[in-house]
Amino acid sequence: MATQVAGQVAARIRRVAVSAGVPIVAAKVTAPGVPDWVVLRPRITKLIARGTRWCPLTVLTAPAGAGKTMALALWTAAQPGSVAWVCLDGYDNRPEVFWSYVVAALRRSGVAVPAVLPAARGRAGDRVFLLGLAAALAAQEPPVTLVLDDLHLLTDPGVLDGLDYVLRNAGPGLRLAVSARTDSLPLHRYRLAGELTEIRAGDLAFTVPEAGELMARHGITLTADSLECLTRRTEGWAAGLRLAAVSMGTHPDPDQFVTELITDDSAVTGYLAAEILDPQPPAVRELLLSTSILEHVSGEAASELTGNEQAGTILADLARANAFVAPAGSGRYRYHPLFTEVLRLKLDREHPGRAAALHRRAARWYERNGQLTDAVRHATQAGDWPLAAGIVIDGLAISEIIEPRGSPSLGEEFRVMPHGQAWTEPAPHLVSAAVALSAGRPESSIAALDAAEAILERLPADQEAAGRLAAALIRLAAARRTGDLAAAAAAAARAEVLASRVPDAGLAGHRRIRARLLSDRGAVELWSGRLDQAARTLESGVAGATASGGVGEPEDCLGHLALVEALRGRLGRAATLAAQATGALAAGEPRPPVPHPSPAALVALAWVHLEHNELRAARSRLRQADAALGVTPDKLIRAVAWLAAAYAGLAQGRAAVTAETVARARSGWPVPAWLDERLSLVESWAYTAAGDIQAALAAAGRSGRENSPEAAVTLARAWVAAGDAGNATRALTPVLATGSGAPGRVRMQACLVDAQLGYDRGDRARGRRSLASALRLAGPEQVRLPFVIERGWIEPALRRDPELARAHRGVLAPALSCNQVPAPPGSPEQTPILAAEPLSEREREVLRHVAGLLSNAEAASELHITVNTLKTHLKHIYRKLATTRRGEAVRRARQLELI
């Protein structure tokens, strides 16, 4: 390639005349050669070719060393048409010199241009010349492309205005391609007219494969990880990659070199210092060094660190000049990663110790502006742990460490904080306690919290209100993890008192902590079984959290409120709230997912799916909740998740699994009375389904609260299973009485038990009436789970009463066998979901064989049984799955994940 290009270049070289007293240097009107190490990049060449073909103006704008010149040289070498090339420098910044070189380049490319130059003609002569040049170029066929390399070096308005004039009036005979670090021409006009192709630094950046080819051309072999790291650190900057490749040629370990790219004597450091940093005026250089500690730089932050009120203007000028400073949005700027490393290296060498002071100043500035994570990060980078911890405590942000919601989390900034230090202030101990609690080290957390409280106790009661509040919140979080309701309630009450004593650190901060406290109080009320009060508290918390804009609080309040609504039977509202808490808006519009979703919200969604008989979705949500509880443990939420899992086992006819799950929910903590009652209810139901009536009655009796409608219904169900209609009726009568005040979900369950009692006693009218009432009560929220669990007697009843089945198909069809729920004319067949009984292992093995499209004889042969035995197994399978055909049985078994 290089040989071919050199030949093309040599063929173009000829004597260059001297015009109007301006000597013409041949090298300046000759396209540069292409070295052997250059990587051919067809995607860039195509961009230039497309631009010069269809647009009058093509610009390559990027910082120094981005590969602009070489990209144009590669395109020129492959271009069959006329190309005139001018390499510009600062001496060309006069009209007579600039146009002399343009004319010389055009003549070299075969274009006839005016013989008279503007050197001694004055302004009128300039206009005549430009008009004549434009006219000559307008007649050019085929068009000529004029390449102006380093146009940013020309600043004379006469030069730039003349160039713009010629381009606008030359028509299709001229194509202009320029490389520059800044935009010199009025691009907005060409952009608006659709006459501009822009190729920027992002387009010119090397991809990982291109960087790999460049390394290979220099004889360098890197691992895939090192190559990716090098490309990421350089952001594909061509000069950086080239300098790295040259340097690695003499380095014994190229992969190690990638990690040491910026050193005092590295070629990349020297290039950036010489080309970008050193040419800057002292004030600009000082600003760059001082602000290099920041991830993103704003004018206000730069002014804070340097005292220079013109910092915003300087940053804007640097960005326009493509001096490795780029806009990052919202008035902020970012430095190229390698430039940042060079600046920090120079800062350390020229001003030892200043970086720590700058970090402290940045921490205070970010703290004043409400950016706590950035404030803490700079305090930790200064090595000032008391300052970092104090920012957290004064910012009322300890909960963001205990239960991380944002990404990155505030707690991550303290991961290297020294442990066991004899801090004299409470803040570092409090933060250490929160970090340890979040990491699952309760013993370390308590030790650090005790140390903090010992310091606080020695202070006057009216001091360190924020620290005392943080201690109460840590105590509350620890109690929720261990299941200590009394300690949680006490800590929540103390936190509310202390919050009123915290000095006003800003309205947003107070709103955030108020929302946090309402969320905690609502969680305690839920724990205590006061669901209605919990709902009201959490509603207030949602409103407050939304107003504060705090990270995590809205999701936490929404998640607990969703769970309260699910437990109250308000499934639709629970689903809406839980969807908001986990990242989906109520209208179904997506938003960025919540990094650490609320476990309460996930359990609420599982409960909704469960009640709707969507067992696969319910299991999925329970798995997600289990993972979320690993991040933010909560004994109550986990126990409610076990309760949901127990009902799921009951729906699948797995009474033993249900009993085992109930035992897990009760294990290791004092279960709240309301939850213990619900666990006893599902336990009794499981014993009833298993035929252990005595155990069912005993469990129902333990469900405990006097005059509890739920307990009465459960007891009635056990009496029905025992065949004791009298006791069953006596238990149900108060619940079914008009004005009993029983919740709708409990009345539905009571009607269902009464229906079973009616059918069992041969009173079909009573059974039908009560079953219809239960179905009507289930309709609004589409509650299906009780009908699935009681399908053993419901399906025969519906088989005898197709009219009732059709009337309530919306509830029944997704829950019971389609054979029991006749479809209306023209409706598609519904696939049944739940099996009536669990399949034995042998029956599952039979299903797996017949699912493989084997005939009965082939399946029997594979199983080493007779065909008649196989058919017997199939009959049992059809009965248990409520199907009549092999294919239907296979489909249903797959839905139930049995095969």
Side-chain angles (χ1 to χ4, degrees):
M1 175 67 192
T3 303
Q4 179 184 0
V5 172
Q8 293 172 342
V9 170
R12 294 174 181 171
I13 295 178
R14 61 175 180 266
R15 180 178 177 80
V16 180
V18 176
S19 302
V22 177
I24 302 299
V25 179
K28 286 172 57 64
V29 291
T30 304
V34 180
D36 289 337
W37 54 262
V38 168
V39 175
L40 302 181
R41 299 204 285 165
R43 64 183 182 87
I44 306 297
T45 302
K46 288 178 182 177
L47 289 175
I48 300 172
R50 190 180 302 120
T52 55
R53 180 179 181 183
W54 300 108
C55 296
L57 178 59
T58 298
V59 296
L60 285 75
T61 311
K68 305 180 293 294
T69 299
M70 196 51 60
L72 285 168
L74 284 168
W75 168 79
T76 300
Q79 175 66 15
S82 299
V83 177
W85 187 291
V86 180
C87 298
L88 298 169
D89 56 46
Y91 296 102
D92 300 325
N93 202 26
R94 291 175 294 164
E96 63 273 17
V97 176
F98 171 73
W99 288 113
S100 293
Y101 274 103
V102 169
V103 168
L106 290 170
R107 285 174 176 167
R108 284 171 55 82
S109 67
V111 178
V113 294
V116 179
L117 291 175
R121 300 293 183 177
R123 183 166 297 179
D126 291 350
R127 286 196 294 269
V128 171
F129 166 75
L130 294 175
L131 181 62
L133 179 60
L137 292 171
Q140 181 68 21
E141 179 59 40
V144 62
T145 299
L146 172 62
V147 176
L148 299 178
D149 191 21
D150 285 340
L151 183 63
H152 60 275
L153 296 174
L154 304 187
T155 58
D156 184 278
V159 172
L160 298 175
D161 291 345
L163 180 61
D164 180 45
Y165 175 85
V166 170
L167 181 60
R168 285 188 289 111
N169 289 279
L174 174 66
R175 295 287 185 264
L176 179 62
V178 304
S179 74
R181 298 184 189 178
T182 60
D183 294 331
S184 302
L185 295 172
L187 299 187
H188 61 279
R189 189 161 56 224
Y190 295 95
R191 192 179 291 124
L192 184 63
E195 298 176 339
L196 173 66
T197 294
E198 298 178 80
I199 301 172
R200 301 284 178 173
D203 303 307
L204 294 169
F206 273 62
T207 64
V208 174
E210 289 171 344
E213 185 177 349
L214 180 63
M215 295 299 113
R217 285 177 178 260
H218 286 76
I220 304 299
T221 301
L222 292 175
T223 65
D225 288 344
S226 294
L227 180 61
E228 192 277 332
C229 176
L230 177 63
T231 309
R232 183 182 67 253
R233 289 185 67 190
T234 60
E235 292 189 347
W237 176 45
L241 290 168
R242 159 74 171 153
L243 291 170
V246 171
S247 300
M248 280 188 275
T250 58
H251 197 279
D253 188 347
D255 291 303
Q256 179 65 25
F257 177 86
V258 172
T259 67
E260 304 168 350
L261 195 56
I262 300 300
T263 60
D264 288 302
D265 57 353
S266 77
V268 176
T269 301
Y271 181 94
L272 288 171
E275 286 287 326
I276 307 300
L277 180 61
D278 293 342
Q280 303 296 342
V284 176
R285 194 176 190 279
E286 176 68 16
L287 182 143
L288 287 169
L289 291 176
S290 297
T291 57
S292 65
I293 66 162
L294 304 175
E295 299 276 339
H296 291 91
V297 187
S298 67
E300 295 84 357
S303 295
E304 173 72 18
L305 295 184
T306 64
N308 189 335
E309 297 299 325
Q310 300 302 314
T313 302
I314 293 173
L315 288 168
D317 291 342
L318 289 169
R320 280 193 293 272
N322 258 320
F324 286 80
V325 178
S330 303
R332 301 183 305 164
Y333 300 88
R334 60 177 289 272
Y335 300 161
H336 189 284
L338 292 183
F339 191 41
T340 298
E341 292 183 48
V342 170
L343 290 172
R344 291 175 180 174
L345 180 66
K346 294 292 184 181
L347 177 65
D348 287 339
R349 296 295 183 268
E350 297 176 14
H351 306 284
R354 184 193 285 187
L358 289 169
H359 279 300
R360 287 190 186 91
R361 195 179 303 173
R364 291 301 188 192
W365 185 85
Y366 280 117
E367 182 185 22
R368 290 196 302 273
N369 286 272
Q371 297 172 252
L372 290 187
T373 301
D374 289 322
V376 168
R377 180 179 302 118
H378 283 286
T380 59
Q381 288 174 348
D384 195 335
W385 297 105
L387 172 60
I391 290 171
V392 172
I393 301 303
D394 293 340
L396 309 179
I398 197 69
S399 293
E400 294 181 29
I401 296 178
I402 300 170
E403 297 181 2
R405 298 294 187 189
S407 182
S409 76
L410 191 59
E412 290 174 5
E413 302 300 330
F414 291 94
R415 64 185 181 277
V416 294
M417 182 177 180
H419 296 291
Q421 295 283 336
W423 309 110
T424 59
E425 304 169 37
H429 292 294
L430 290 168
V431 168
S432 293
V435 170
L437 185 61
S438 179
R441 302 194 308 271
E443 296 82 4
S444 298
S445 177
I446 293 301
L449 184 56
D450 288 343
E453 290 181 330
I455 297 173
L456 289 169
E457 286 173 3
R458 294 195 295 268
L459 298 175
D462 60 347
Q463 292 183 15
E464 284 286 351
R468 298 178 198 274
L469 173 59
L473 292 173
I474 296 170
R475 291 283 182 198
L476 172 58
R480 290 176 62 178
R481 281 161 166 74
T482 58
D484 190 338
L485 173 58
R494 176 167 171 74
E496 293 204 45
V497 171
L498 290 168
S500 64
R501 301 176 184 170
V502 175
D504 188 0
L507 184 59
H510 269 335
R511 282 179 176 171
R512 186 166 61 248
I513 196 62
R514 295 293 179 194
R516 175 77 260 174
L517 292 174
L518 285 169
S519 175
D520 288 334
R521 190 207 302 169
V524 170
E525 288 165 345
L526 165 60
W527 200 339
S528 303
R530 299 192 297 270
L531 300 187
D532 294 342
Q533 181 60 43
R536 288 191 290 271
T537 300
L538 292 166
E539 290 277 11
S540 299
V542 169
T546 303
S548 74
V551 175
E553 283 85 8
E555 289 78 18
D556 200 54
C557 288
L558 285 166
H560 279 88
L561 183 56
L563 185 56
V564 168
E565 296 293 36
L567 292 171
R568 294 203 296 177
R570 301 179 180 182
L571 304 182
R573 177 159 169 72
T576 299
L577 292 167
Q580 291 175 339
T582 54
L585 297 176
E589 300 175 4
R591 73 179 186 191
V594 178
H596 300 286
S598 162
L602 294 169
V603 174
L605 285 172
W607 197 275
V608 171
H609 287 306
L610 180 66
E611 292 279 31
H612 288 166
N613 190 38
E614 297 159 350
L615 296 189
R616 184 174 297 179
R619 283 195 295 271
S620 174
R621 291 299 187 182
L622 287 175
R623 284 193 294 268
Q624 292 173 357
D626 185 61
L629 285 164
V631 177
T632 53
D634 188 304
K635 197 72 172 180
L636 175 70
I637 303 304
R638 187 172 291 281
V640 175
W642 282 122
L643 177 63
Y647 274 108
L650 192 57
Q652 293 177 300
R654 302 165 69 186
V657 171
T658 297
E660 179 184 343
T661 305
V662 168
R664 289 185 181 183
R666 288 191 168 118
S667 176
W669 70 306
V671 182
W674 70 272
L675 180 57
D676 191 58
E677 177 182 339
R678 293 204 177 199
L679 290 168
S680 295
L681 297 180
V682 69
E683 186 179 28
S684 174
W685 205 344
Y687 285 134
T688 300
D692 190 344
I693 305 305
Q694 292 304 314
L697 289 170
R702 288 195 303 272
S703 62
R705 290 182 301 169
E706 191 173 346
N707 300 324
S708 165
E710 293 95 332
V713 173
T714 301
L715 194 59
R717 183 181 292 112
W719 285 124
V720 170
D724 192 334
N727 276 325
T729 301
R730 278 189 290 274
L732 286 175
T733 299
V735 183
L736 293 173
T738 304
S740 67
R745 59 186 174 80
V746 179
R747 289 184 59 82
M748 177 199 67
Q749 295 267 20
C751 289
L752 202 54
V753 175
D754 191 63
Q756 183 182 8
L757 184 60
Y759 283 120
D760 285 353
R761 298 177 64 184
D763 189 346
R764 295 182 59 185
R766 175 184 175 180
R768 188 183 197 279
R769 183 172 60 251
S770 293
L771 180 56
S773 296
L775 289 166
R776 280 195 299 272
L777 289 167
E781 296 289 352
Q782 294 291 288
V783 178
R784 302 187 182 102
L785 183 65
F787 302 95
V788 173
I789 297 174
E790 297 294 333
R791 62 187 170 272
W793 64 266
I794 291 178
E795 286 186 341
L798 292 175
R799 197 160 33 240
R800 295 190 298 268
D801 196 343
E803 182 181 349
L804 179 62
R806 266 194 293 268
H808 298 281
R809 185 175 180 81
V811 172
L812 293 171
L816 302 177
S817 169
C818 60
N819 295 332
Q820 324 310 331
V821 189
S827 67
E829 180 183 0
Q830 294 282 342
T831 303
I833 293 178
L834 292 176
E837 298 176 40
L839 300 181
S840 68
E841 186 55 39
R842 188 60 164 172
E843 288 164 347
R844 291 190 186 204
E845 190 177 11
V846 168
L847 262 180
R848 283 192 288 270
H849 279 78
V850 300
L853 300 180
L854 299 177
S855 67
N856 284 355
E858 291 168 335
S861 176
E862 290 282 338
L863 291 166
H864 305 289
I865 59 176
T866 66
V867 173
N868 287 336
T869 302
L870 179 79
K871 289 180 178 179
T872 301
H873 282 308
L874 287 174
K875 286 179 182 179
H876 293 161
I877 291 169
Y878 295 160
R879 177 181 59 79
K880 291 182 177 183
L881 295 180
T883 59
T884 57
R885 298 186 301 276
R886 272 180 42 163
E888 186 181 4
V890 169
R891 284 195 301 273
R892 186 168 190 184
R894 284 174 174 159
Q895 280 188 318
L896 293 169
E897 300 180 354
L898 299 176
I899 59 172

